[in-house]
């Protein structure tokens, strides 16, 4: 039992935890006997810890299309693949993930097969273990199908170790059917409550609502190609949308979860803390499944806070400005009194006729409170400092641009200087036109000067009730059900945010609410994918930032919308990633996706 104790010491408090690579590289059954692994709660906890750790959650450790990479780098979160943040549109999963996910599928299939054969586990316990394994397997296949479409389906450990090298791709619908069946079995047999970080009945239903909405949307808005290897038929779309609707409705009707509303007198803080107070022990009524990051419990942390700090308050460790929201994203947040359910451009005028504001935060002060809970807006307080993003000054109707070093403007020489003057010329930022920073997912408590690599512990809120409401609203609308269902679900979220209720609902309003509510949760890119609007919304799409100037004569501020970077474009082939070339060379039965 020495090995069992060793593993348990690492995993027993895991939640969704990391584990040592050398242990994962060994088949569990070669390390322990079947009865040792499956016959005790500690043994099963240890096994499940590795299964959960391998789930393709797009969280802090998702970077450059890889799962489990440098945590918190932020350069290639899917927010950069959409219009949420400035970066490239190099969307897609890294080739190495194909093999990693199939290795994980092999492990969970081994568990499913062998748990049935052990002698010292009673039938109800086996049933619960199997249900949880089916949840995990569904998550693995969801991670594959949304990137690749149809993939080879393996539901048991192959007798031939090279079986995967001979198996062609299944049709995409067959993969969605497997996910649906796995999640429905999981939901039927899992308990209503579970330990932190492990799936229960409602986690299975929440994942089903997400996955089936994805599949149904592809069937409704996409096309079938390669004889069904990619794409979903319109005939199946209704079945999948109905499954999404049923799963979400079951969660809503059960009443076990509710929208987080711990700070009703500060609605921006309430929305921000929804994503902070989701660690073990927190009373978060909205959290259905969290991935825990806590050094004492899991030996795993991340670096999100260090990486996304504004340069103005960068940590002594360096780094900053790694995930900067676009003006496009900021303008999706309506004013507090709006009932339009649509993006609302800032009231800033044009260089020919600027709108003047007395403060740096003026254009944003009447926006949806979720904006200030999601984004650090210039002119507002964050981590003990007022964050500025000023580009320069206007003097005698002429713009003068400063920089991070030359921050003060001398009206006599009409130039910037190191020596302080009575005019602050810039905001001490090294990113011109980038005047917003990420607040969502950050730790509001830890002193910024203490932030270093691998010191962030904020958990990842993977499945939450707010998304379930949006999934329910969209599935209901697309199925043509009573519009009051979708309207009521959307208005619950707007009411929590302090926004005016919508009086009517439409596809456009539902989609808009998703982009506001779920921004930077790595959902928006996948919404563009499943709606098949990625190619139309991103056809030389120019993204924008702000240049902010202090008008010396008027003694106030003006805001100038400016393009940042080049146009962002996607091709039809980008609805799926390319099948890895190495896999195709080993298995000639794997046909590649269209356009590659």
């Amino acid at each position: 039992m020495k090995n069992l104790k060793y593993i348990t010491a690492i995993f027993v408090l895991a939640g969704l935890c990391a584990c040592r690579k050398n242990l994962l590289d060994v088949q569990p059954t070669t390390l322990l006997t079947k009865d040792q692994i499956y016959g005790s709660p500690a043994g099963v906890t240890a096994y499940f810890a590795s299964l959960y750790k391998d789930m393709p959650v797009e969280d802090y450790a998702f970077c450059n299309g890889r799962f489990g990479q440098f945590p918190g780098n932020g350069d290639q979160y899917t927010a950069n693949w959409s219009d949420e943040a400035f970066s490239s549109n190099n969307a897609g999963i890294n080739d190495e993930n194909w093999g990693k996910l199939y290795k994980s599928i092999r492990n969970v299939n081994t568990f499913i097969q062998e748990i049935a054969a052990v002698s010292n586990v009673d039938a109800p316990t086996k049933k619960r273990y199997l249900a949880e394994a089916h949840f995990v397997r569904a998550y693995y296949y969801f991670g594959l199908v949304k990137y690749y479409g149809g993939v080879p389906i393996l539901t048991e450990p192959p007798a031939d170790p090279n079986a995967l090298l001979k198996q062609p791709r299944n049709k995409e619908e067959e993969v969605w059917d497997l996910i649906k069946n796995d999640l429905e079995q999981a939901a039927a047999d899992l308990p209503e409550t579970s330990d932190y970080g492990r799936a229960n009945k409602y986690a299975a239903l929440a994942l089903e609502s997400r996955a089936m909405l994805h599949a149904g949307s592809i069937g409704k808005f996409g096309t079938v190609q390669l004889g069904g290897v990619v794409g979903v038929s319109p005939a199946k779309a209704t079945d999948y949308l109905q499954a999404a609707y049923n799963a979400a409705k079951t969660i809503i009707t059960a009443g076990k979860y509710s929208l987080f509303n711990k700070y009703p007198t500060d609605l921006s803080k309430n929305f921000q803390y929804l994503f902070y107070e989701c660690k073990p022990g927190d009373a978060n009524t909205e959290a259905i499944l969290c991935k825990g990051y806590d050094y004492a419990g899991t030996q795993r942390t991340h670096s999100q806070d260090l990486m996304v700090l504004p340069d103005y308050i960068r940590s002594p460790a360096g780094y900053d400005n790694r995930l900067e929201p676009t003006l496009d994203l900021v303008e999706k947040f309506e004013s507090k009194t709006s009932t339009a359910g649509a993006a609302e451009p800032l009231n800033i005028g044009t260089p020919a006729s600027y709108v003047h504001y007395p403060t740096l935060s003026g254009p944003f002060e009447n926006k949806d409170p979720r904006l200030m809970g999601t984004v650090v807006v210039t002119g507002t307080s964050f981590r003990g400092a007022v964050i500025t993003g000023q580009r320069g000054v206007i003097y005698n109707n002429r713009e003068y641009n400063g920089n991070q070093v030359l921050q003060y403007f001398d009206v006599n020489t009409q130039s910037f200087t190191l020596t302080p003057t009575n005019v602050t010329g810039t905001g001490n930022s090294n990113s011109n036109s980038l005047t917003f920073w990420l607040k969502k997912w950050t730790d509001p408590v830890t002193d910024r000067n203490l932030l270093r690599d691998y010191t962030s512990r904020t958990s990842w809120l993977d499945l939450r009730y707010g998304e379930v409401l949006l999934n329910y609203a969209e599935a209901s609308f697309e199925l043509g059900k009573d519009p009051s269902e979708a309207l009521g679900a959307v208005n619950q979220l707007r009411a929590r945010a302090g926004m005016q209720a919508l009086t009517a609902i439409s596809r456009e309003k539902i989609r808009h609410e998703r982009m506001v509510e779920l921004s930077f949760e790595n959902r928006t890119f996948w919404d563009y994918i499943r709606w098949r609007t990625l190619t139309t919304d991103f056809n030389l799409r120019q993204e924008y930032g702000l240049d902010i100037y202090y008008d010396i004569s008027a003694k106030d501020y003006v805001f100038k919308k400016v393009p940042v970077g080049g146009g962002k474009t996607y091709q039809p082939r980008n609805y799926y990633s390319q099948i890895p070339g190495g896999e195709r060379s080993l298995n000639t039965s794997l046909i590649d996706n269209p356009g590659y």
Side-chain angles (χ1 to χ4, degrees):
M1 296 296 287
K2 180 179 179 181
N3 285 332
L4 176 60
K5 291 177 181 178
Y6 177 58
I7 297 176
T8 303
I10 299 174
F11 292 136
V12 71
L13 300 176
L16 297 191
C17 72
C19 51
R20 291 178 57 166
K21 185 176 180 180
N22 63 317
L23 291 179
L24 290 182
D25 287 342
V26 180
Q27 288 271 19
T29 51
T30 66
L31 197 64
L32 302 170
T33 68
K34 294 178 184 178
D35 283 349
Q36 284 177 322
I37 294 173
Y38 306 118
S40 72
V44 174
T45 296
Y47 199 107
F48 269 114
S50 65
L51 297 180
Y52 275 102
K53 180 262 179 183
D54 289 339
M55 288 198 322
V57 180
E58 293 174 2
D59 63 340
Y60 309 112
F62 178 79
C63 184
N64 297 313
R66 294 177 172 90
F67 303 109
Q69 295 298 301
F70 179 73
N73 191 33
D75 288 346
Q76 286 297 327
Y77 284 6
T78 66
N80 293 295
W81 301 350
S82 68
D83 52 349
E84 296 163 275
F86 293 108
S87 192
S88 70
N89 61 338
N90 185 27
I93 197 169
N94 188 271
D95 284 358
E96 67 187 37
N97 288 288
W98 177 284
K100 287 171 63 177
L101 285 171
Y102 271 106
K103 177 181 176 182
S104 301
I105 288 168
R106 179 202 67 197
N107 288 339
V108 74
N109 284 340
T110 297
F111 181 92
I112 290 171
Q113 182 184 73
E114 293 189 348
I115 189 67
V118 297
S119 59
N120 57 346
V121 180
D122 61 72
T125 303
K126 284 185 181 181
K127 189 175 183 180
R128 186 178 75 250
Y129 288 168
L130 279 169
E132 192 169 6
H134 282 283
F135 169 85
V136 171
R137 187 171 71 181
Y139 210 118
Y140 293 154
Y141 274 108
F142 186 31
L144 284 166
V145 71
K146 70 181 184 179
Y147 279 101
Y148 297 118
V151 294
I153 291 177
L154 298 176
T155 57
E156 58 185 27
D160 178 0
N162 296 316
L164 189 59
L165 303 181
K166 306 172 185 177
Q167 187 169 335
R169 298 170 65 183
N170 284 76
K171 292 182 178 181
E172 182 170 343
E173 288 180 10
E174 294 174 325
V175 183
W176 290 117
D177 286 342
L178 172 66
I179 293 169
K180 178 175 179 290
N181 293 336
D182 271 351
L183 290 173
E184 289 181 351
Q185 179 175 342
D189 294 339
L190 281 171
E192 293 192 347
T193 60
S194 58
D195 292 338
Y196 181 88
R198 293 180 68 169
N200 59 29
K201 173 186 181 73
Y202 300 106
L205 290 167
L207 184 59
E208 184 180 8
S209 77
R210 179 189 294 173
M212 292 300 100
L213 185 62
H214 193 113
S217 300
I218 291 174
K220 190 159 189 174
F221 304 113
T223 57
V224 176
Q225 301 176 76
L226 302 179
V229 172
V230 294
V232 172
S233 66
K236 289 283 286 189
T238 299
D239 291 342
Y240 293 141
L241 289 170
Q242 188 66 49
Y245 174 87
N246 292 344
K249 187 174 183 178
T250 300
I251 298 172
I252 295 167
T253 302
K256 303 292 184 180
Y257 298 90
S258 61
L259 295 176
F260 183 86
N261 201 26
K262 187 175 178 179
Y263 305 99
T265 61
D266 188 339
L267 297 176
S268 293
K269 176 181 178 179
N270 189 68
F271 194 65
Q272 178 191 2
Y273 273 62
L274 162 62
F275 302 95
Y276 173 64
E277 294 187 357
C278 55
K279 57 187 178 296
D282 286 336
N284 190 323
T285 61
E286 189 164 340
I288 300 175
L289 184 68
C290 298
K291 179 174 178 178
Y293 282 87
D294 178 72
Y295 189 79
T298 66
Q299 303 295 304
R300 183 168 181 80
T301 54
H302 56 89
S303 306
Q304 177 81 353
D305 293 285
L306 177 70
M307 295 294 171
V308 303
L309 275 177
D311 181 73
Y312 185 58
I313 57 168
R314 68 186 301 178
S315 162
Y319 304 102
D320 55 40
N321 290 356
R322 291 299 178 94
L323 196 64
E324 295 185 287
T326 63
L327 177 61
D328 309 64
L329 182 277
V330 169
E331 290 188 326
K332 289 179 183 179
F333 291 83
E334 305 162 67
S335 63
K336 294 175 184 177
T337 56
S338 174
T339 59
E344 187 174 292
L346 293 181
N347 180 29
I348 58 176
T350 65
S353 181
Y354 280 125
V355 176
H356 289 247
Y357 288 91
T359 65
L360 281 165
S361 61
F364 319 105
E365 290 175 354
N366 194 43
K367 284 279 192 180
D368 182 335
R370 286 174 291 186
L371 172 63
M372 300 291 193
T374 303
V375 173
V376 178
V377 171
T378 187
T380 61
S381 180
F382 181 63
R383 290 187 177 274
V386 175
I387 308 302
T388 63
Q390 191 176 326
R391 181 72 174 92
V393 301
I394 292 177
Y395 183 64
N396 290 336
N397 296 317
R398 179 181 171 185
E399 295 175 358
Y400 295 85
N401 293 333
N403 57 46
Q404 187 180 17
V405 177
L406 302 176
Q407 298 180 45
Y408 304 99
F409 187 75
D410 187 329
V411 296
N412 295 316
T413 62
Q414 297 182 25
S415 63
F416 282 88
T417 175
L418 287 168
T419 306
T421 69
N422 61 354
V423 177
T424 300
T426 70
N428 193 31
S429 174
N430 65 1
S431 295
N432 299 329
S433 310
L434 307 183
T435 49
F436 309 106
W437 298 268
L438 184 66
K439 182 182 290 184
K440 201 179 215 180
W441 302 115
T442 59
D443 174 355
V445 175
T446 303
D447 188 314
R448 68 178 187 266
N449 293 310
L450 300 178
L451 296 177
R452 298 290 189 275
D453 300 56
Y454 299 96
T455 58
S456 292
R457 296 176 175 83
T458 306
S459 296
W460 183 264
L461 180 50
D462 189 46
L463 294 168
R464 67 179 179 98
Y465 187 66
E467 183 192 352
V468 170
L469 286 173
L470 288 165
N471 295 345
Y472 175 73
E474 186 175 347
S476 176
F477 182 86
E478 297 298 346
L479 288 166
K481 296 184 181 293
D482 188 335
S484 65
E485 289 185 343
L487 182 64
V490 169
N491 278 338
Q492 285 186 56
L493 291 162
R494 292 176 69 89
R496 189 261 296 273
M499 294 294 291
Q500 296 293 314
L502 300 178
T503 57
I505 201 68
S506 66
R507 176 180 291 157
E508 292 71 25
K509 291 180 180 180
I510 293 169
R511 291 182 176 184
H512 169 75
E513 201 68 31
R514 286 186 68 91
M515 291 186 175
V516 170
E517 177 75 20
L518 302 178
S519 61
F520 293 100
E521 296 181 44
N522 290 334
R523 304 281 174 257
T524 300
F525 173 75
W526 294 111
D527 286 344
Y528 283 122
I529 287 284
R530 64 186 179 83
W531 295 331
R532 293 304 192 248
T533 58
L534 192 69
T535 50
T536 54
D537 286 356
F538 295 88
N539 184 7
L540 295 177
R541 169 74 174 270
Q542 179 63 62
E543 293 169 342
Y544 289 87
L546 281 180
D547 278 348
I548 305 174
Y549 292 93
Y550 178 69
D551 189 316
I552 294 174
S553 299
K555 293 182 173 56
D556 56 21
Y557 297 91
V558 297
F559 300 78
K560 180 181 179 181
K561 182 176 181 178
V562 292
V564 177
K568 186 177 288 186
T569 294
Y570 285 102
Q571 305 296 330
R573 72 178 189 177
N574 294 126
Y575 287 119
Y576 296 96
S577 295
Q578 185 172 26
I579 304 298
E583 301 296 335
R584 285 183 283 115
S585 66
L586 292 171
N587 181 358
T588 57
S589 298
L590 291 177
I591 57 175
D592 206 356
N593 279 328
Y596 292 101

